[in-house]
Amino acid sequence: MTATDALGRYRGKRDFSKTAEPKGGRDGRTEQPIFVVQIHDASTLHFDFRLEADGVLKSWAVPKGPSSNPHDKRLAMPTEDHPLEYADFEGVIAEGEYGGGTVIVWDAGTCRNLTRDKRGREIPLAEALDRGHASFWLDGVKLRGGYALTRIRTKKDEGREAWLLVKEADRYASTHGTPAPTRARSALTGRTLKQVAAEAAAKGS
């Protein structure tokens, strides 16, 4: 399946004449796989965690956000694949549109797959996610070191898939959790959710 095919669900949920979100046109991979964490003030305030795999951003909604503390097990609910261009998206999705609300890029950087089989051979990230467990290394502005995503519930169990996002115990681990999203600043522009919303409102007035 190409990246374009994988984005059918993403595009089907959005009216691109009403939202500034990218439609996605790049079919391929970046030189170094990327990740992005966005804060999304929609019907519920949450973090969106996205990893590049097979030319798209595999995505999870993480209510409490990623943590640098290995003792924190963060619930992560999978959402539709997003285009690679979404990694740069900040702004306000119009009220009434899917995911309506303010979005900022809380963190972004590169991702290195660490998933191996019993013989030590690398398992491609997309395949590892299909199997239900992936380990990876993040080099971001705020998130650094090893992390793992593990599926704890399938659709067959309770109708909706669920995962856990956990920090590995390495030199980048700490006792710090995740900052309050309302006070957090964009890794791209330094703006808060409130500032992005205010600027969008001013432009529309």
Side-chain angles (χ1 to χ4, degrees), residues 145-178:
Y147 283 80
L149 272 164
T150 304
R151 186 165 52 221
I152 58 170
R153 189 176 71 219
T154 68
K155 290 181 180 179
K156 294 180 180 179
D157 295 327
E158 296 181 27
R160 189 174 182 191
E161 197 173 302
W163 295 63
L164 288 180
L165 175 64
V166 181
K167 175 76 182 75
E168 301 286 0
D170 56 33
R171 67 183 183 275
Y172 292 109
S174 75
T175 57
H176 300 298
T178 308

mmCIF file of all heavy atoms in Angstrom, residues 145-178:
data_model
loop_
_atom_site.group_PDB
_atom_site.id
_atom_site.type_symbol
_atom_site.label_atom_id
_atom_site.label_comp_id
_atom_site.label_asym_id
_atom_site.label_seq_id
_atom_site.Cartn_x
_atom_site.Cartn_y
_atom_site.Cartn_z
ATOM 1 N N GLY A 145 15.812 9.718 23.812
ATOM 2 C CA GLY A 145 16.055 8.374 24.307
ATOM 3 C C GLY A 145 15.053 7.348 23.818
ATOM 4 O O GLY A 145 14.284 7.577 22.882
ATOM 5 N N GLY A 146 15.077 6.180 24.466
ATOM 6 C CA GLY A 146 14.267 5.061 24.051
ATOM 7 C C GLY A 146 12.844 5.114 24.576
ATOM 8 O O GLY A 146 12.600 5.505 25.716
ATOM 9 N N TYR A 147 11.918 4.702 23.731
ATOM 10 C CA TYR A 147 10.503 4.580 24.082
ATOM 11 C C TYR A 147 9.972 3.297 23.479
ATOM 12 O O TYR A 147 10.580 2.715 22.573
ATOM 13 C CB TYR A 147 9.695 5.771 23.541
ATOM 14 C CG TYR A 147 9.842 7.039 24.342
ATOM 15 C CD1 TYR A 147 10.950 7.864 24.182
ATOM 16 C CD2 TYR A 147 8.880 7.410 25.276
ATOM 17 C CE1 TYR A 147 11.104 9.025 24.939
ATOM 18 C CE2 TYR A 147 9.019 8.580 26.025
ATOM 19 C CZ TYR A 147 10.131 9.379 25.851
ATOM 20 O OH TYR A 147 10.267 10.513 26.611
ATOM 21 N N ALA A 148 8.843 2.860 23.972
ATOM 22 C CA ALA A 148 8.198 1.666 23.424
ATOM 23 C C ALA A 148 6.693 1.863 23.374
ATOM 24 O O ALA A 148 6.103 2.487 24.263
ATOM 25 C CB ALA A 148 8.534 0.437 24.255
ATOM 26 N N LEU A 149 6.090 1.345 22.336
ATOM 27 C CA LEU A 149 4.636 1.294 22.192
ATOM 28 C C LEU A 149 4.217 -0.173 22.201
ATOM 29 O O LEU A 149 4.753 -0.980 21.435
ATOM 30 C CB LEU A 149 4.202 1.943 20.880
ATOM 31 C CG LEU A 149 3.943 3.444 20.881
ATOM 32 C CD1 LEU A 149 3.902 3.977 19.455
ATOM 33 C CD2 LEU A 149 2.633 3.778 21.604
ATOM 34 N N THR A 150 3.266 -0.518 23.047
ATOM 35 C CA THR A 150 2.804 -1.898 23.159
ATOM 36 C C THR A 150 1.280 -1.935 23.126
ATOM 37 O O THR A 150 0.625 -1.226 23.898
ATOM 38 C CB THR A 150 3.302 -2.539 24.470
ATOM 39 O OG1 THR A 150 4.726 -2.454 24.528
ATOM 40 C CG2 THR A 150 2.876 -3.999 24.547
ATOM 41 N N ARG A 151 0.745 -2.770 22.249
ATOM 42 C CA ARG A 151 -0.710 -2.910 22.171
ATOM 43 C C ARG A 151 -1.199 -3.750 23.347
ATOM 44 O O ARG A 151 -0.689 -4.841 23.598
ATOM 45 C CB ARG A 151 -1.105 -3.573 20.854
ATOM 46 C CG ARG A 151 -2.602 -3.633 20.627
ATOM 47 C CD ARG A 151 -2.943 -3.943 19.175
ATOM 48 N NE ARG A 151 -2.235 -5.117 18.703
ATOM 49 C CZ ARG A 151 -1.684 -5.230 17.489
ATOM 50 N NH1 ARG A 151 -1.756 -4.217 16.636
ATOM 51 N NH2 ARG A 151 -1.065 -6.321 17.125
ATOM 52 N N ILE A 152 -2.167 -3.226 24.075
ATOM 53 C CA ILE A 152 -2.694 -3.946 25.242
ATOM 54 C C ILE A 152 -4.129 -4.415 25.030
ATOM 55 O O ILE A 152 -4.643 -5.208 25.822
ATOM 56 C CB ILE A 152 -2.633 -3.069 26.516
ATOM 57 C CG1 ILE A 152 -3.429 -1.761 26.315
ATOM 58 C CG2 ILE A 152 -1.187 -2.783 26.904
ATOM 59 C CD1 ILE A 152 -3.611 -0.950 27.589
ATOM 60 N N ARG A 153 -4.770 -3.931 23.974
ATOM 61 C CA ARG A 153 -6.144 -4.334 23.695
ATOM 62 C C ARG A 153 -6.390 -4.234 22.204
ATOM 63 O O ARG A 153 -5.982 -3.261 21.561
ATOM 64 C CB ARG A 153 -7.122 -3.429 24.448
ATOM 65 C CG ARG A 153 -8.570 -3.897 24.396
ATOM 66 C CD ARG A 153 -9.463 -3.011 25.253
ATOM 67 N NE ARG A 153 -9.645 -1.685 24.677
ATOM 68 C CZ ARG A 153 -9.682 -0.555 25.375
ATOM 69 N NH1 ARG A 153 -9.498 -0.581 26.673
ATOM 70 N NH2 ARG A 153 -9.893 0.603 24.769
ATOM 71 N N THR A 154 -7.008 -5.241 21.629
ATOM 72 C CA THR A 154 -7.335 -5.222 20.212
ATOM 73 C C THR A 154 -8.804 -4.854 20.028
ATOM 74 O O THR A 154 -9.577 -4.806 20.988
ATOM 75 C CB THR A 154 -7.075 -6.598 19.576
ATOM 76 O OG1 THR A 154 -8.015 -7.543 20.108
ATOM 77 C CG2 THR A 154 -5.654 -7.077 19.856
ATOM 78 N N LYS A 155 -9.179 -4.628 18.787
ATOM 79 C CA LYS A 155 -10.578 -4.296 18.495
ATOM 80 C C LYS A 155 -11.507 -5.438 18.891
ATOM 81 O O LYS A 155 -12.670 -5.221 19.236
ATOM 82 C CB LYS A 155 -10.733 -3.983 17.007
ATOM 83 C CG LYS A 155 -10.073 -2.679 16.583
ATOM 84 C CD LYS A 155 -10.289 -2.427 15.104
ATOM 85 C CE LYS A 155 -9.632 -1.120 14.671
ATOM 86 N NZ LYS A 155 -9.809 -0.862 13.225
ATOM 87 N N LYS A 156 -10.994 -6.660 18.838
ATOM 88 C CA LYS A 156 -11.817 -7.821 19.178
ATOM 89 C C LYS A 156 -12.163 -7.858 20.666
ATOM 90 O O LYS A 156 -13.154 -8.445 21.070
ATOM 91 C CB LYS A 156 -11.095 -9.106 18.792
ATOM 92 C CG LYS A 156 -10.896 -9.279 17.286
ATOM 93 C CD LYS A 156 -10.168 -10.572 16.997
ATOM 94 C CE LYS A 156 -9.961 -10.755 15.494
ATOM 95 N NZ LYS A 156 -9.215 -12.008 15.199
ATOM 96 N N ASP A 157 -11.309 -7.238 21.500
ATOM 97 C CA ASP A 157 -11.513 -7.292 22.946
ATOM 98 C C ASP A 157 -12.701 -6.444 23.398
ATOM 99 O O ASP A 157 -13.646 -6.940 23.988
ATOM 100 C CB ASP A 157 -10.250 -6.851 23.688
ATOM 101 C CG ASP A 157 -9.085 -7.796 23.452
ATOM 102 O OD1 ASP A 157 -9.345 -8.999 23.303
ATOM 103 O OD2 ASP A 157 -7.936 -7.323 23.412
ATOM 104 N N GLU A 158 -12.626 -5.145 23.133
ATOM 105 C CA GLU A 158 -13.689 -4.242 23.597
ATOM 106 C C GLU A 158 -14.127 -3.271 22.509
ATOM 107 O O GLU A 158 -14.716 -2.231 22.793
ATOM 108 C CB GLU A 158 -13.216 -3.471 24.836
ATOM 109 C CG GLU A 158 -12.944 -4.345 26.045
ATOM 110 C CD GLU A 158 -12.505 -3.538 27.253
ATOM 111 O OE1 GLU A 158 -12.873 -2.355 27.346
ATOM 112 O OE2 GLU A 158 -11.791 -4.090 28.105
ATOM 113 N N GLY A 159 -13.808 -3.610 21.274
ATOM 114 C CA GLY A 159 -14.258 -2.785 20.162
ATOM 115 C C GLY A 159 -13.323 -1.670 19.759
ATOM 116 O O GLY A 159 -13.467 -1.093 18.694
ATOM 117 N N ARG A 160 -12.342 -1.374 20.614
ATOM 118 C CA ARG A 160 -11.384 -0.323 20.264
ATOM 119 C C ARG A 160 -9.987 -0.695 20.745
ATOM 120 O O ARG A 160 -9.807 -1.103 21.891
ATOM 121 C CB ARG A 160 -11.795 1.030 20.873
ATOM 122 C CG ARG A 160 -10.923 2.150 20.333
ATOM 123 C CD ARG A 160 -11.370 3.513 20.778
ATOM 124 N NE ARG A 160 -10.527 4.543 20.191
ATOM 125 C CZ ARG A 160 -10.534 5.811 20.545
ATOM 126 N NH1 ARG A 160 -11.358 6.225 21.495
ATOM 127 N NH2 ARG A 160 -9.721 6.684 19.973
ATOM 128 N N GLU A 161 -9.038 -0.537 19.848
ATOM 129 C CA GLU A 161 -7.645 -0.865 20.136
ATOM 130 C C GLU A 161 -7.049 0.133 21.127
ATOM 131 O O GLU A 161 -7.405 1.311 21.122
ATOM 132 C CB GLU A 161 -6.869 -0.803 18.814
ATOM 133 C CG GLU A 161 -5.540 -1.485 18.805
ATOM 134 C CD GLU A 161 -4.956 -1.499 17.394
ATOM 135 O OE1 GLU A 161 -5.608 -2.036 16.480
ATOM 136 O OE2 GLU A 161 -3.855 -0.959 17.223
ATOM 137 N N ALA A 162 -6.140 -0.337 21.980
ATOM 138 C CA ALA A 162 -5.463 0.541 22.938
ATOM 139 C C ALA A 162 -4.015 0.101 23.088
ATOM 140 O O ALA A 162 -3.693 -1.085 22.999
ATOM 141 C CB ALA A 162 -6.165 0.501 24.292
ATOM 142 N N TRP A 163 -3.143 1.092 23.318
ATOM 143 C CA TRP A 163 -1.707 0.860 23.463
ATOM 144 C C TRP A 163 -1.204 1.558 24.721
ATOM 145 O O TRP A 163 -1.887 2.421 25.290
ATOM 146 C CB TRP A 163 -0.953 1.423 22.257
ATOM 147 C CG TRP A 163 -1.255 0.763 20.945
ATOM 148 C CD1 TRP A 163 -2.454 0.730 20.291
ATOM 149 C CD2 TRP A 163 -0.331 0.056 20.117
ATOM 150 N NE1 TRP A 163 -2.334 0.058 19.117
ATOM 151 C CE2 TRP A 163 -1.041 -0.370 18.971
ATOM 152 C CE3 TRP A 163 1.025 -0.236 20.220
ATOM 153 C CZ2 TRP A 163 -0.447 -1.091 17.942
ATOM 154 C CZ3 TRP A 163 1.632 -0.957 19.190
ATOM 155 C CH2 TRP A 163 0.897 -1.387 18.078
ATOM 156 N N LEU A 164 0.019 1.219 25.114
ATOM 157 C CA LEU A 164 0.736 1.946 26.155
ATOM 158 C C LEU A 164 2.022 2.510 25.564
ATOM 159 O O LEU A 164 2.748 1.823 24.839
ATOM 160 C CB LEU A 164 1.090 1.037 27.334
ATOM 161 C CG LEU A 164 -0.056 0.595 28.247
ATOM 162 C CD1 LEU A 164 0.490 -0.291 29.353
ATOM 163 C CD2 LEU A 164 -0.801 1.784 28.834
ATOM 164 N N LEU A 165 2.296 3.779 25.879
ATOM 165 C CA LEU A 165 3.539 4.442 25.494
ATOM 166 C C LEU A 165 4.378 4.612 26.759
ATOM 167 O O LEU A 165 3.931 5.253 27.720
ATOM 168 C CB LEU A 165 3.245 5.812 24.873
ATOM 169 C CG LEU A 165 4.453 6.685 24.534
ATOM 170 C CD1 LEU A 165 5.329 6.036 23.457
ATOM 171 C CD2 LEU A 165 3.994 8.072 24.070
ATOM 172 N N VAL A 166 5.586 4.032 26.763
ATOM 173 C CA VAL A 166 6.419 4.012 27.961
ATOM 174 C C VAL A 166 7.849 4.411 27.627
ATOM 175 O O VAL A 166 8.417 3.993 26.613
ATOM 176 C CB VAL A 166 6.414 2.600 28.611
ATOM 177 C CG1 VAL A 166 7.271 2.593 29.871
ATOM 178 C CG2 VAL A 166 4.993 2.158 28.930
ATOM 179 N N LYS A 167 8.447 5.221 28.502
ATOM 180 C CA LYS A 167 9.859 5.617 28.369
ATOM 181 C C LYS A 167 10.753 4.482 28.849
ATOM 182 O O LYS A 167 10.482 3.844 29.859
ATOM 183 C CB LYS A 167 10.122 6.864 29.216
ATOM 184 C CG LYS A 167 11.584 7.317 29.253
ATOM 185 C CD LYS A 167 11.956 8.008 27.965
ATOM 186 C CE LYS A 167 13.426 8.422 27.952
ATOM 187 N NZ LYS A 167 14.318 7.257 27.731
ATOM 188 N N GLU A 168 11.838 4.234 28.123
ATOM 189 C CA GLU A 168 12.819 3.244 28.552
ATOM 190 C C GLU A 168 13.713 3.850 29.641
ATOM 191 O O GLU A 168 13.924 5.067 29.696
ATOM 192 C CB GLU A 168 13.683 2.793 27.369
ATOM 193 C CG GLU A 168 12.905 2.179 26.222
ATOM 194 C CD GLU A 168 12.409 0.783 26.527
ATOM 195 O OE1 GLU A 168 12.667 0.272 27.640
ATOM 196 O OE2 GLU A 168 11.752 0.185 25.651
ATOM 197 N N ALA A 169 14.254 2.997 30.498
ATOM 198 C CA ALA A 169 15.149 3.459 31.572
ATOM 199 C C ALA A 169 16.555 3.616 31.006
ATOM 200 O O ALA A 169 17.375 2.696 31.038
ATOM 201 C CB ALA A 169 15.139 2.464 32.728
ATOM 202 N N ASP A 170 16.853 4.797 30.467
ATOM 203 C CA ASP A 170 18.171 5.086 29.912
ATOM 204 C C ASP A 170 18.653 6.420 30.459
ATOM 205 O O ASP A 170 18.055 6.985 31.376
ATOM 206 C CB ASP A 170 18.141 5.066 28.379
ATOM 207 C CG ASP A 170 17.098 6.026 27.788
ATOM 208 O OD1 ASP A 170 16.854 7.101 28.390
ATOM 209 O OD2 ASP A 170 16.514 5.712 26.741
ATOM 210 N N ARG A 171 19.715 6.941 29.903
ATOM 211 C CA ARG A 171 20.314 8.174 30.450
ATOM 212 C C ARG A 171 19.424 9.394 30.301
ATOM 213 O O ARG A 171 19.658 10.426 30.948
ATOM 214 C CB ARG A 171 21.679 8.432 29.797
ATOM 215 C CG ARG A 171 21.643 8.762 28.316
ATOM 216 C CD ARG A 171 23.065 8.912 27.776
ATOM 217 N NE ARG A 171 23.146 9.299 26.391
ATOM 218 C CZ ARG A 171 23.083 8.450 25.366
ATOM 219 N NH1 ARG A 171 22.913 7.150 25.592
ATOM 220 N NH2 ARG A 171 23.181 8.879 24.127
ATOM 221 N N TYR A 172 18.395 9.315 29.456
ATOM 222 C CA TYR A 172 17.488 10.449 29.277
ATOM 223 C C TYR A 172 16.236 10.334 30.134
ATOM 224 O O TYR A 172 15.376 11.212 30.105
ATOM 225 C CB TYR A 172 17.091 10.582 27.807
ATOM 226 C CG TYR A 172 18.249 10.988 26.921
ATOM 227 C CD1 TYR A 172 18.817 10.084 26.023
ATOM 228 C CD2 TYR A 172 18.798 12.264 27.012
ATOM 229 C CE1 TYR A 172 19.884 10.454 25.218
ATOM 230 C CE2 TYR A 172 19.868 12.636 26.207
ATOM 231 C CZ TYR A 172 20.410 11.731 25.315
ATOM 232 O OH TYR A 172 21.472 12.095 24.529
ATOM 233 N N ALA A 173 16.126 9.240 30.891
ATOM 234 C CA ALA A 173 14.971 9.086 31.768
ATOM 235 C C ALA A 173 15.056 10.069 32.931
ATOM 236 O O ALA A 173 16.144 10.437 33.373
ATOM 237 C CB ALA A 173 14.910 7.653 32.293
ATOM 238 N N SER A 174 13.907 10.495 33.431
ATOM 239 C CA SER A 174 13.876 11.423 34.554
ATOM 240 C C SER A 174 12.587 11.205 35.342
ATOM 241 O O SER A 174 11.729 10.412 34.950
ATOM 242 C CB SER A 174 13.954 12.877 34.077
ATOM 243 O OG SER A 174 12.716 13.278 33.525
ATOM 244 N N THR A 175 12.471 11.918 36.423
ATOM 245 C CA THR A 175 11.250 11.828 37.221
ATOM 246 C C THR A 175 10.213 12.853 36.783
ATOM 247 O O THR A 175 9.121 12.908 37.342
ATOM 248 C CB THR A 175 11.563 12.050 38.715
ATOM 249 O OG1 THR A 175 12.211 13.323 38.877
ATOM 250 C CG2 THR A 175 12.475 10.948 39.243
ATOM 251 N N HIS A 176 10.560 13.653 35.784
ATOM 252 C CA HIS A 176 9.617 14.655 35.281
ATOM 253 C C HIS A 176 8.556 13.983 34.421
ATOM 254 O O HIS A 176 8.856 13.101 33.622
ATOM 255 C CB HIS A 176 10.343 15.724 34.469
ATOM 256 C CG HIS A 176 11.386 16.462 35.240
ATOM 257 N ND1 HIS A 176 11.087 17.224 36.345
ATOM 258 C CD2 HIS A 176 12.728 16.534 35.077
ATOM 259 C CE1 HIS A 176 12.205 17.748 36.830
ATOM 260 N NE2 HIS A 176 13.214 17.340 36.082
ATOM 261 N N GLY A 177 7.342 14.389 34.571
ATOM 262 C CA GLY A 177 6.268 13.870 33.746
ATOM 263 C C GLY A 177 6.095 14.703 32.494
ATOM 264 O O GLY A 177 7.052 14.954 31.771
ATOM 265 N N THR A 178 4.895 15.180 32.282
ATOM 266 C CA THR A 178 4.592 16.008 31.127
ATOM 267 C C THR A 178 4.065 17.352 31.611
ATOM 268 O O THR A 178 3.240 17.389 32.524
ATOM 269 C CB THR A 178 3.515 15.336 30.248
ATOM 270 O OG1 THR A 178 3.931 14.006 29.961
ATOM 271 C CG2 THR A 178 3.330 16.081 28.938
#
